[in-house]
Amino acid sequence: MFYLVKKVHIPERSFIRSTFDENVDDWVEYLVDQVIELGMGDSGITARKIMESLGNRIQRSIVQKYVPLNHCQFSHNYCS
């Protein structure tokens, strides 16, 4: 569909940048803790589980930033 138009404007998603800036330290700390736990070998955690969990944390942070607080009552999956 976009090949029919000469120019496509994709608006800036500033909430993604601000969410990243606000949470990157927490995400890195979580990742380091999980990798240390993986290295210890006692927890049964896998690299795949770590990355899936990190991805879920990032997604939840972005959605919480983007979705208005009064909307959370309807979006219980992301507003915890």
Side-chain angles (χ1 to χ4, degrees):
M1 173 157 185
F2 288 117
Y3 58 87
L4 298 176
V5 297
K6 294 183 183 205
K7 184 177 180 180
V8 175
H9 174 71
I10 300 174
E12 180 180 334
R13 305 308 199 276
S14 61
F15 63 91
I16 293 175
R17 168 53 63 190
S18 63
T19 301
F20 177 85
D21 291 342
E22 292 168 8
N23 293 286
V24 68
D25 293 335
D26 294 334
W27 297 335
V28 169
E29 182 179 337
Y30 170 78
L31 184 59
V32 168
D33 291 345
Q34 293 299 304
V35 169
I36 290 170
E37 197 170 311
L38 174 67
M40 301 290 270
D42 297 334
S43 67
I45 196 165
T46 64
R48 181 179 189 91
K49 287 181 184 177
I50 292 171
M51 296 311 291
E52 286 175 357
S53 179
L54 179 62
N56 289 335
R57 284 173 173 260
I58 293 170
Q59 178 187 16
R60 188 170 44 249
S61 296
I62 292 171
V63 170
Q64 285 176 334
K65 177 82 171 189
Y66 183 71
V67 176
L69 292 177
N70 62 355
H71 181 71
C72 287
Q73 61 186 337
F74 305 109
S75 182
H76 58 83
N77 291 336
Y78 297 110
C79 299
S80 52

